[in-house]
Amino acid sequence: MFVLSDKAMFPDLNAVTLENLLAYSSEAIVFSDLQGTVLFANLAAEKLYGWATGELLGQNVDVFNAHTSHSTEEIVEDIKNKGSWQGTLMQRRKDGSTFHSELTVAWILDENKEHIGLGSHSRAVTGIWHAQRELGG
């Protein structure tokens, strides 16, 4: 783990650089507070989930979970016990359609290593999932 405030290690890393890194990532990135309220979602999250960022802000992250494979509570419990959760699950778009997704969720810490929220990144893998099933995987 690295600390973003370590200027010796990352002398050119600033807020604008980080904002661009997050905003233009090809994977959906969502940041929520400790209660699960969405505070940030990048362009890839808009495309993946079908919500405009303005619509997502203030929503609970549970809007993404299709609840067919893992409950949000189960994921949060794993994060509390292990620091992160990673797996494949069914997620839901704004229009109600579902898709298989690889999701990673982890604590976001401040410079004092206090929990300030949860960060996640995900990508749709429905095509890969179906191909593996057809091959017997």
Side-chain angles (χ1 to χ4, degrees):
M1 182 169 120
F2 66 89
V3 178
L4 295 177
S5 60
D6 185 348
K7 296 296 181 191
M9 186 179 256
F10 305 101
D12 297 324
L13 195 61
N14 58 42
V16 173
T17 304
L18 287 174
E19 184 177 326
N20 285 324
L21 177 70
L22 295 172
Y24 299 109
S25 172
S26 62
E27 289 198 1
I29 298 174
V30 175
F31 174 73
S32 71
D33 65 14
L34 294 173
Q35 290 73 43
T37 303
V38 175
L39 302 175
F40 171 86
N42 69 353
L43 296 172
E46 285 187 19
K47 290 177 185 173
L48 183 62
Y49 297 114
W51 297 79
T53 297
E55 295 175 304
L56 271 178
L57 301 180
Q59 295 275 351
N60 189 279
V61 294
D62 199 46
V63 299
F64 304 127
N65 194 335
H67 296 282
T68 59
S69 54
H70 300 281
S71 72
T72 302
E73 294 79 18
E74 173 188 350
I75 293 168
V76 170
E77 195 59 35
D78 263 9
I79 296 165
K80 287 179 180 177
N81 293 329
K82 301 174 186 169
S84 65
W85 185 90
Q86 184 174 355
T88 302
L89 76 161
M90 290 295 287
Q91 290 201 292
R92 179 178 53 214
R93 293 186 178 91
K94 180 182 177 183
D95 67 8
S97 63
T98 59
F99 61 97
H100 289 92
S101 172
E102 284 184 353
L103 173 69
T104 301
V105 186
W107 290 118
I108 300 296
L109 309 176
D110 66 10
E111 60 275 357
N112 298 316
K113 298 189 180 175
E114 297 290 327
H115 297 131
I116 60 170
L118 295 166
S120 70
H121 61 92
S122 58
R123 65 187 181 110
V125 294
T126 299
I128 296 168
W129 188 88
H130 284 296
Q132 288 174 336
R133 294 303 172 266
E134 287 177 10
L135 294 173

